[in-house]
């Protein structure tokens, strides 16, 4: 796929992995729709991406836990850009390490609604636009190593990421033979602020650099038409 001038939606793009992906694809002169809840941070990413060469960029304040918010956002993106070529489902939240019976209903709902339901709902809203696009298109779901490997203390987070993996695998099967490519990325710990938001103290400096992960996404999208990586594992 030629990334230049492609319209790419990136959820959770106000910081962390999503921001790194936006800036990397900006260098490729893509059209980027930045989606997240924090408008101030989105504006900062917008400015940086434009400086790096993004062809066109727009910000959209959206809570992907809310179906109506997703619907309105996708409709705006379609209106603003005309075509949608790539959806990168990246938005996600971390669940502080604890035993299953210690996790509150509030945390359970927040994690599942963001990580799993948000990914599913956003994909459902964008998919018809990808189907109507005559060019090669793609859906990349940024999941986690927790979507492939059981790890202690992550009952709900892991459930959400295993769900994303299952959704991605079925989507890949459903869309075989179409112009829509589907992939899941399952990365180990990444050096972002996601963990600190729950006061988790991990040695994040040893984790994967989000800029390196963004390079992986760029590489995947730039592959020739007859080559695709649908299951990518990233370790540090």
């Amino acid at each position: 796929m030629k990334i230049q001038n492609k319209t790419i939606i990136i959820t959770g793009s106000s910081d962390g992995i999503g921001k790194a992906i936006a800036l990397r694809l900006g260098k490729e002169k893509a059209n980027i729709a930045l989606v997240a809840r924090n408008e101030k941070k989105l504006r900062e990413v917008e400015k940086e991406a434009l400086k790096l060469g993004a062809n066109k960029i727009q910000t959209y304040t959206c809570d992907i836990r809310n179906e109506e918010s997703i619907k309105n956002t996708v409709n705006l993106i379609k209106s603003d850009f005309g075509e949608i070529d790539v959806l990168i489902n990246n938005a996600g939240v971390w669940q502080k390490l604890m035993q299953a019976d210690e996790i509150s209903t509030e945390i359970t709902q927040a994690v599942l609604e963001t990580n799993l339901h948000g990914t599913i709902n956003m994909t459902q809203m964008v998919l018809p636009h990808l189907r109507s696009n005559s060019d090669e298109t793609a859906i990349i779901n940024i999941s986690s190593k927790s979507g492939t490997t059981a790890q202690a203390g992550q009952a709900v987070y892991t459930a959400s990421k295993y769900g994303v993996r299952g959704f991605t695998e079925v989507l890949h099967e459903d869309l075989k033979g179409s112009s829509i490519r589907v992939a899941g990325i399952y990365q180990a710990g990444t050096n972002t602020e996601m963990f600190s938001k729950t006061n988790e103290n991990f040695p994040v400096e040893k984790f994967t650099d989000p800029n390196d992960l963004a390079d992986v996404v760029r590489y995947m999208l730039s592959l020739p038409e007859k080559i695709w990586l649908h299951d990518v594992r990233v370790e540090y």
Side-chain angles (χ1 to χ4, degrees):
M1 178 186 294
K2 185 178 179 181
I3 298 175
Q4 185 175 351
N5 296 324
K6 292 292 186 181
T7 297
I8 302 172
I9 300 174
I10 308 171
T11 68
S13 49
S14 59
D15 58 17
I17 296 171
K19 175 181 178 179
I21 293 172
L23 297 182
R24 186 64 189 84
L25 297 182
K27 290 181 180 179
E28 301 294 320
K29 302 187 184 303
N31 299 322
I32 304 172
L34 300 171
V35 178
R37 289 181 291 175
N38 191 314
E39 183 178 3
K40 182 180 179 181
K41 287 186 175 182
L42 284 176
R43 294 295 182 188
E44 292 170 356
V45 177
E46 177 186 23
K47 291 178 182 177
E48 288 186 56
L50 285 171
K51 287 180 181 178
L52 290 171
N55 184 52
K56 179 179 178 180
I57 190 162
Q58 295 276 103
T59 64
Y60 302 88
T61 305
C62 173
D63 185 349
I64 66 166
R65 297 172 299 180
N66 184 291
E67 186 176 346
E68 193 64 25
S69 181
I70 293 173
K71 182 178 179 180
N72 292 337
T73 297
V74 172
N75 287 338
L76 280 173
I77 293 171
K78 175 65 175 176
S79 175
D80 289 340
F81 289 91
E83 295 281 3
I84 298 173
D85 300 290
V86 178
L87 169 62
I88 299 176
N89 284 308
N90 166 76
V93 294
W94 170 251
Q95 166 239 303
K96 188 177 178 66
L97 295 178
M98 61 183 78
Q99 295 295 303
D101 56 343
E102 298 174 334
I103 303 172
S104 69
T105 300
E106 181 182 14
I107 291 174
T108 297
Q109 290 178 339
V111 172
L112 291 178
E113 287 174 3
T114 303
N115 298 358
L116 180 56
H117 298 167
T119 294
I120 293 173
N121 290 337
M122 178 63 76
T123 303
Q124 289 175 325
M125 296 293 181
V126 172
L127 198 50
H129 301 298
L130 297 181
R131 290 186 192 276
S132 66
N133 191 331
S134 59
D135 293 332
E136 182 184 4
T137 59
I139 298 170
I140 298 179
N141 293 330
I142 309 295
S143 183
S144 167
K145 180 181 178 181
S146 296
T148 66
T149 306
Q151 298 176 88
Q154 300 182 21
V156 173
Y157 182 76
T158 295
S160 72
K161 294 303 184 177
Y162 264 78
V164 169
R165 181 186 176 193
F167 177 67
T168 303
E169 290 296 315
V170 174
L171 204 59
H172 177 259
E173 292 299 314
D174 285 348
L175 295 173
K176 272 185 178 178
S178 75
S179 61
I180 307 171
R181 305 294 187 91
V182 179
I185 298 180
Y186 305 94
Q187 75 283 1
T190 307
N191 187 357
T192 70
E193 297 178 0
M194 184 177 76
F195 305 111
S196 63
K197 290 176 181 178
T198 60
N199 298 315
E200 202 83 78
N201 186 23
F202 291 142
V204 294
E205 65 278 359
K206 297 180 180 180
F207 291 178
T208 299
D209 188 312
N211 295 308
D212 293 336
L213 200 58
D215 277 334
V216 172
V217 173
R218 184 211 60 81
Y219 173 74
M220 293 171 66
L221 290 175
S222 63
L223 287 170
E225 184 178 351
K226 294 183 179 180
I227 300 176
W228 182 247
L229 304 177
H230 92 274
D231 187 301
V232 178
R233 313 293 173 96
V234 181
E235 299 280 354
Y236 59 84

